[in-house]
Amino acid sequence: MYDRLQTLWFILIISYLCVACQSLKSVKPVSVPTVELNPEKVAVTSPIIRQALDNAIAQTKITNSYDPAYVAIPYPGGDVPMTTGVCTDVIIRAFRQVKVDLQQEVHEDMRQNFAAYPKDWNLTNTDPNIDHRRVPNLMVFFERKGKSLPVTRNADNYQPGDVVTWNLGGGDSHIGIVSNVRSPSGRFAIVHNIGAGTKLEDVLFNWEIIGHYRYF
């Protein structure tokens, strides 16, 4: 009986920690080489992309932690506290700055096309608290909306405002947004949260790219 209780408790803990864009073993901050970024931003002509990127970069001064816990949030327009979040929250918040509520957009598309979305979590129905905060769901949503672009190893193909997803290995995925700040490598830095809060880093090719999207 004791062993069964221990097993149940372990399953509950794992389920609690694995609701968002990464599994338990990826919750720890991932080490990324620190480089000095050029503070000069490249001019962005689109006001929508500029506003979204300004919001994403501003998150680096606010979101200082990573928490994949399942949280009941309002719908639409729901969010966890700005000081925390997961990788998907970077994108969600930036898009909301330009009046695109991915929580509502994903929920409505999933409700009408549930079979098109991943079944990784053994869901039988939509859940507006978490569906939009999962990388595989965002990938399907962007693809269904015709926003997918080819995945390449050419940095010039990744422009400010583009959304990129990566395979971290071990079944873990990650997402970030291409900024308009160039790193010394010549690549645009990525705004993302991979475990230690939202950062602006030159990590485009640090992991295997599995998705490239241009929404705006």
Side-chain angles (χ1 to χ4, degrees), residues 88 91-92 95 100 102 105-106 109 117 132 134-149 161-165 175-177 211-216:
T88 49
I91 313 304
I92 293 162
F95 276 41
V100 175
L102 288 172
E105 296 285 338
V106 171
D109 193 56
Y117 282 82
H132 63 299
R134 287 172 162 153
V135 174
N137 286 343
L138 286 183
M139 292 176 66
V140 171
F141 173 78
F142 289 141
E143 289 167 3
R144 284 180 48 77
K145 297 303 177 181
K147 306 301 183 180
S148 182
L149 295 175
D162 287 3
V163 173
V164 181
T165 57
I175 194 168
I177 188 167
H212 178 200
Y213 313 95
R214 187 167 294 161
Y215 194 88
F216 303 109

Side-chain angles (χ1 to χ4, degrees), residues 57-199:
I57 292 172
Q59 292 179 45
T60 65
K61 306 296 184 182
I62 302 170
T63 308
N64 53 26
S65 66
Y66 179 101
D67 184 358
Y70 180 97
V71 179
I73 56 178
Y75 175 84
D79 197 1
V80 297
M82 278 291 297
T83 54
T84 190
V86 293
C87 59
T88 49
D89 292 317
V90 176
I91 313 304
I92 293 162
R93 291 163 179 165
F95 276 41
R96 278 205 178 122
Q97 180 66 30
V98 292
K99 305 188 185 308
V100 175
D101 187 349
L102 288 172
Q103 181 191 26
Q104 184 173 15
E105 296 285 338
V106 171
H107 174 66
E108 291 183 355
D109 193 56
M110 283 190 73
R111 188 175 57 183
Q112 297 175 22
N113 306 278
F114 190 71
Y117 282 82
K119 301 299 183 290
D120 299 356
W121 309 278
N122 298 316
L123 298 178
T124 57
N125 205 348
T126 57
D127 184 350
N129 294 302
I130 192 64
D131 288 336
H132 63 299
R133 300 182 69 207
R134 287 172 162 153
V135 174
N137 286 343
L138 286 183
M139 292 176 66
V140 171
F141 173 78
F142 289 141
E143 289 167 3
R144 284 180 48 77
K145 297 303 177 181
K147 306 301 183 180
S148 182
L149 295 175
V151 170
T152 74
R153 292 287 298 179
N154 184 349
D156 292 339
N157 292 335
Y158 298 85
Q159 293 300 302
D162 287 3
V163 173
V164 181
T165 57
W166 296 269
N167 176 16
L168 301 181
D172 297 330
S173 53
H174 185 51
I175 194 168
I177 188 167
V178 181
S179 78
N180 58 331
V181 177
R182 285 199 186 275
S183 67
S185 69
R187 295 185 291 264
F188 286 113
I190 304 294
V191 186
H192 70 137
N193 183 352
I194 200 165
T198 304
K199 306 291 184 183

Side-chain angles (χ1 to χ4, degrees), residues 17-92:
L17 289 173
C18 296
V19 298
C21 63
Q22 296 171 299
S23 64
L24 177 63
K25 59 187 174 184
S26 294
V27 170
K28 293 181 180 180
V30 174
S31 177
V32 175
T34 301
V35 296
E36 190 69 27
L37 293 178
N38 185 344
E40 293 297 324
K41 298 178 182 178
V42 174
V44 174
T45 56
S46 167
I48 292 177
I49 295 176
R50 185 167 61 248
Q51 289 176 50
L53 290 180
D54 285 348
N55 176 278
I57 292 172
Q59 292 179 45
T60 65
K61 306 296 184 182
I62 302 170
T63 308
N64 53 26
S65 66
Y66 179 101
D67 184 358
Y70 180 97
V71 179
I73 56 178
Y75 175 84
D79 197 1
V80 297
M82 278 291 297
T83 54
T84 190
V86 293
C87 59
T88 49
D89 292 317
V90 176
I91 313 304
I92 293 162

Side-chain angles (χ1 to χ4, degrees), residues 193-209:
N193 183 352
I194 200 165
T198 304
K199 306 291 184 183
L200 179 67
E201 297 174 314
D202 180 14
V203 295
L204 177 60
F205 295 132
N206 278 34
W207 312 285
E208 177 194 1
I209 298 176

